C-alpha cells in the first residue's frame, strides 16, 4: 500500500498562511544563510500530489505562474469547480479522504499531501496520513489559516528525525 505524506511548513504558532492567505513569510531567520534542500530528497519518492483549489490557484497564479512546477507528478486538485483535467492535472470533486484511500490502493510511489488546511484536517482525523514532514518557520503570525483543526481523539506519533537550519526546525514523524 502506498504511503501518504504531509510535507508542509507552518509558523511556530501553527498557521500555514497569514490572514490574507499569503505565504511570503516562509523563510528562515537570516536571508544570507544557506537553507538545506530537504524537498529534493523528499520528492524523489513521490509520484502523486494532492491539494485543494486554493493551494493550486496560489501556485499557478502567484508562486509559479509560468510553469506547473509539479509537472513530474500526477496532481489531484480537489475543488467544487468543474474544470477540464489534463494528463497530469486531475480536477476532482470528491471528498479528500475518499481520494486518498483510493490512491493508496493503486500502484505507484508516495502520495504527497500538499495542502491546504481543508484537505489536511479531514485526512488527519481519518488517520490517512502515514508520515508528517513539518517545517516550523521562526515566525509567530498570530492569526491566519490554521494547519491543525480540532481533534476527536489523540493521535500518537513517533519522531523519526529532527534537524534545524537557519532557524527552521524540520520534524519528521510517523504514526505509532
Amino acid at each position: 500500500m502506498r504511503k501518504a505524506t504531509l510535507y508542509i511548513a507552518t509558523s511556530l504558532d501553527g498557521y500555514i498562511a497569514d490572514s490574507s492567505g499569503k505565504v511570503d513569510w516562509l523563510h528562515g531567520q537570516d536571508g544570507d544563510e544557506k537553507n538545506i534542500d530537504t524537498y529534493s530528497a523528499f520528492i524523489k519518492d513521490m509520484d502523486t500530489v494532492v491539494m485543494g483549489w486554493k493551494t493550486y490557484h496560489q501556485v499557478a497564479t502567484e508562486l509559479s505562474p509560468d510553469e506547473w512546477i509539479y509537472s513530474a507528478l500526477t496532481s489531484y486538485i480537489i475543488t467544487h469547480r468543474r474544470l477540464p483535467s489534463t494528463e497530469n492535472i486531475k480536477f476532482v470533486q470528491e471528498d479528500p479522504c475518499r481520494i486518498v484511500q483510493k490512491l493508496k490502493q493503486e500502484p505507484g510511489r508516495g502520495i504527497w499531501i500538499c495542502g491546504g488546511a481543508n484537505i489536511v484536517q479531514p485526512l488527519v482525523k481519518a488517520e490517512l496520513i502515514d508520515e508528517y514532514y513539518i517545517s516550523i518557520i521562526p515566525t509567530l503570525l498570530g492569526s491566519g489559516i490554521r494547519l491543525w483543526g480540532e481533534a476527536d481523539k489523540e493521535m500518537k506519533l513517533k519522531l523519526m528525525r529532527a534537524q534545524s537550519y537557519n532557524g527552521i526546525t524540520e520534524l519528521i514523524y510517523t504514526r505509532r
Side-chain angles (χ1 to χ4, degrees), residues 5-8 16 50-52 55 78 96-97 112-129 132 134 146-149:
T5 303
L6 175 63
Y7 182 93
I8 200 163
I16 57 173
V50 175
M51 67 184 75
T55 302
I78 301 170
C97 295
W112 171 21
I113 309 303
C114 181
N118 291 335
I119 305 304
V120 172
Q121 290 173 7
L123 294 174
V124 170
K125 283 184 180 181
E127 298 185 15
L128 289 170
I129 297 176
Y132 294 80
I134 310 297
R146 283 212 168 274
L147 174 57
W148 312 113

Side-chain angles (χ1 to χ4, degrees), residues 12-43:
L12 182 59
D13 52 351
Y15 296 99
I16 57 173
D18 68 18
S19 55
S20 301
K22 300 288 185 195
V23 293
D24 55 359
W25 51 271
L26 287 174
H27 49 78
Q29 64 194 14
D30 183 1
D32 296 336
E33 189 172 323
K34 184 162 175 78
N35 289 325
I36 295 173
D37 177 16
T38 60
Y39 176 79
S40 294
F42 165 78
I43 203 68

Side-chain angles (χ1 to χ4, degrees), residues 69-163:
I69 56 174
Y70 306 127
S71 61
L73 306 171
T74 301
S75 301
Y76 286 84
I77 315 305
I78 301 170
T79 179
H80 297 292
R81 294 165 176 81
R82 302 234 180 249
L83 300 168
S85 295
T86 67
E87 184 178 340
N88 286 353
I89 301 175
K90 314 287 185 195
F91 294 99
V92 294
Q93 295 78 37
E94 290 182 60
D95 173 72
C97 295
R98 194 169 302 128
I99 291 168
V100 171
Q101 286 171 331
K102 184 172 61 174
L103 290 171
K104 284 180 140 199
Q105 301 300 321
E106 295 175 358
R109 297 193 322 260
I111 304 161
W112 171 21
I113 309 303
C114 181
N118 291 335
I119 305 304
V120 172
Q121 290 173 7
L123 294 174
V124 170
K125 283 184 180 181
E127 298 185 15
L128 289 170
I129 297 176
D130 302 295
E131 300 174 319
Y132 294 80
Y133 280 60
I134 310 297
S135 294
I136 300 174
I137 306 300
T139 300
L140 293 168
L141 289 176
S143 65
I145 300 171
R146 283 212 168 274
L147 174 57
W148 312 113
E150 294 292 320
D152 300 333
K153 60 186 172 187
E154 176 182 353
M155 181 185 303
K156 296 192 181 290
L157 302 174
K158 178 179 180 180
L159 180 65
M160 302 303 290
R161 189 170 75 229
Q163 66 179 348

